[in-house]
């Protein structure tokens, strides 16, 4: 399966009202800000999109609205993060009916599956539809590490075309590249490894902080992929203190706080996540406000 996924793909936030109900208009407005900044694709209902805090019906409502809003301008992918393989296959089929362009499949939630179980789970979801599939490896968040060898095995499934690699080990991209065909797509999934991942051949970057700084994300990506590493390093050094927030347990709260400070949405999360408060909040706000005050010029 030939799939042209590359560039900056936000792991987009899901916006909520004060009563924690979905705020679809605000979610769409935020997507439009990022689309206008030149993003190359969208991943809805990932970790940052609070997938596991939404009902299936709510997830499909978000996806249907997104497909309508985007209207084919960029690919729309959805996270598939379910507790059972049966549930994940059912959601994949429903997401296809909602019009998404691809699936980003996680291991089963809450259960630390072994390699054989992960392989069977992701293979089954891929075989449930004809949509292109991206494997999502994030052992820090989900407690399951999908090895380079397992990724390579799954790459033999015709519609498994990509991996989002978030193991916090940039060497893994090279290990995967050495085991798969040249047309298999490699995405960086850790914000503060973006520049290193470009140097190692990543085709794309699924980012969290792009929700707050979409223009700067595109600037960094374009400088790096055009080989202008001197200027890319300058932007990266400005951005890295914020990019570190993407690796923290409260990454969703931190990213949504940055989105709010930049005027693109609300910091409100759905329970069990609580707003950041006290010294922690002041520290994170200080980082965000410093970045806003010193942000690079975008021509």
């Amino acid at each position: 399966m030939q799939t042209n996924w590359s560039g900056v793909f936000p792991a987009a936030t899901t916006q909520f009202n004060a009563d924690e109900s979905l705020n679809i208009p605000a979610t769409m407005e935020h997507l439009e800000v990022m689309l206008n900044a030149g993003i190359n694709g969208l991943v809805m209902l990932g970790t940052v999109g609070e997938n596991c805090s939404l009902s299936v019906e709510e997830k499909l409502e978000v996806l249907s609205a997104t497909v309508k809003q985007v209207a084919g301008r960029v690919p729309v992918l959805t996270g598939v993060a379910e507790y059972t393989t049966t549930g994940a296959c059912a959601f994949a089929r429903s997401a296809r009916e909602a019009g998404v362009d691809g699936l980003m499949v996680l291991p089963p939630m809450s259960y630390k599956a072994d390699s054989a179980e992960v392989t069977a789970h992701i293979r089954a979801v891929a075989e449930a539809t004809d949509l292109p599939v991206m494997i999502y490896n994030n052992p820090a968040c989900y407690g399951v590490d999908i090895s380079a060898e397992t990724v390579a095995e799954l790459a033999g499934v015709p519609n498994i075309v990509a991996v989002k690699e978030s193991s916090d080990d940039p060497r893994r991209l090279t290990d995967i590249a050495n085991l798969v065909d040249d047309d298999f797509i490699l995405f960086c999934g850790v914000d503060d490894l973006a520049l290193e991942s470009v140097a190692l051949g990543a085709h794309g970057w699924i980012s969290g902080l792009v929700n707050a700084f979409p223009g700067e994300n595109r600037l960094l990506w374009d400088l790096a992929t055009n080989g202008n590493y001197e200027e890319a390093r300058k932007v990266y050094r400005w951005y890295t203190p914020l990019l570190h927030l993407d690796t923290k347990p409260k990454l969703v709260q931190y990213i949504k706080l940055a989105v709010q400070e930049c005027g693109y949405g609300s910091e409100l999360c759905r329970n069990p996540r609580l707003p950041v408060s006290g010294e922690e909040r002041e520290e994170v706000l200080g980082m965000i406000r410093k970045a806003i005050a010193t942000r690079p010029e975008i021509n």
Side-chain angles (χ1 to χ4, degrees):
M1 178 178 287
Q2 295 296 314
T3 305
N4 297 319
W5 293 344
S6 63
V8 175
F9 282 46
T13 67
T14 302
Q15 293 289 302
F16 298 106
N17 296 304
D19 63 357
E20 296 192 4
S21 61
L22 290 177
N23 189 335
I24 295 295
T27 302
M28 297 305 106
E29 289 172 12
H30 182 214
L31 296 185
E32 201 62 38
V33 168
M34 295 189 288
L35 288 162
N36 289 336
I39 60 167
N40 306 106
L42 281 165
V43 177
M44 306 303 295
L45 306 177
T47 305
V48 176
E50 299 179 67
N51 185 311
C52 292
S53 299
L54 275 63
S55 70
V56 170
E57 293 74 19
E58 287 174 323
K59 294 177 191 182
L60 295 175
E61 184 178 354
V62 170
L63 294 181
S64 295
T66 301
V67 169
K68 182 178 179 180
Q69 181 74 25
V70 172
R73 286 176 285 175
V74 298
V76 175
L77 283 65
T78 181
V80 181
E82 304 297 330
Y83 295 97
T84 67
T85 303
T86 301
C89 291
F91 180 74
R93 288 188 287 266
S94 296
R96 187 189 188 287
E97 293 176 4
V100 302
D101 301 299
L103 308 172
M104 184 182 75
V105 182
L106 286 75
M109 295 293 96
S110 80
Y111 172 65
K112 293 187 179 181
D114 66 19
S115 179
E117 291 168 327
V118 169
T119 301
H121 177 83
I122 295 175
R123 183 187 296 272
V125 177
E127 292 175 350
T129 80
D130 58 357
L131 289 172
V133 168
M134 176 186 296
I135 302 163
Y136 180 17
N137 182 39
N138 190 335
C141 279
Y142 302 112
V144 176
D145 189 5
I146 306 174
S147 69
E149 290 75 18
T150 298
V151 171
E153 180 182 350
L154 286 166
V157 178
N159 61 324
I160 296 181
V161 301
V163 64
K164 177 186 176 184
E165 177 48 51
S166 302
S167 66
D168 206 23
D169 180 359
R171 294 173 296 185
R172 190 68 67 86
L173 286 176
T174 301
D175 290 339
I176 294 170
N178 283 337
L179 294 172
V180 298
D181 294 335
D182 289 342
D183 59 355
F184 194 76
I185 302 166
L186 306 176
F187 271 83
C188 167
V190 182
D191 273 0
D192 59 3
L193 286 175
L195 189 56
E196 294 87 339
S197 296
V198 170
L200 293 171
H203 304 95
W205 174 17
I206 297 177
S207 172
L209 268 300
V210 66
N211 284 280
F213 295 93
E216 289 79 5
N217 261 69
R218 273 303 312 267
L219 175 62
L220 176 58
W221 180 262
D222 290 346
L223 288 170
T225 54
N226 289 330
N228 190 347
Y229 281 97
E230 182 176 353
E231 291 302 314
R233 279 193 295 271
K234 293 177 184 177
V235 176
Y236 200 42
R237 288 171 181 169
W238 160 81
Y239 207 2
T240 290
L242 285 179
L243 298 180
H244 288 326
L245 298 176
D246 182 61
T247 68
K248 308 297 184 182
K250 293 184 182 179
L251 76 158
V252 179
Q253 293 96 312
Y254 295 160
I255 289 168
K256 292 184 98 171
L257 183 56
V259 167
Q260 180 170 281
E261 281 296 299
C262 291
Y264 301 145
S266 167
E267 69 172 305
L268 292 172
C269 296
R270 183 169 280 183
N271 68 79
R273 292 181 174 92
L274 296 174
V276 182
S277 61
E279 292 183 5
E280 180 184 17
R281 182 181 184 86
E282 291 308 309
E283 180 181 357
V284 174
L285 277 174
M287 294 169 58
I288 296 167
R289 290 168 179 169
K290 180 179 178 181
I292 291 171
T294 60
R295 66 201 316 170
E297 291 186 10
I298 302 174
N299 297 323

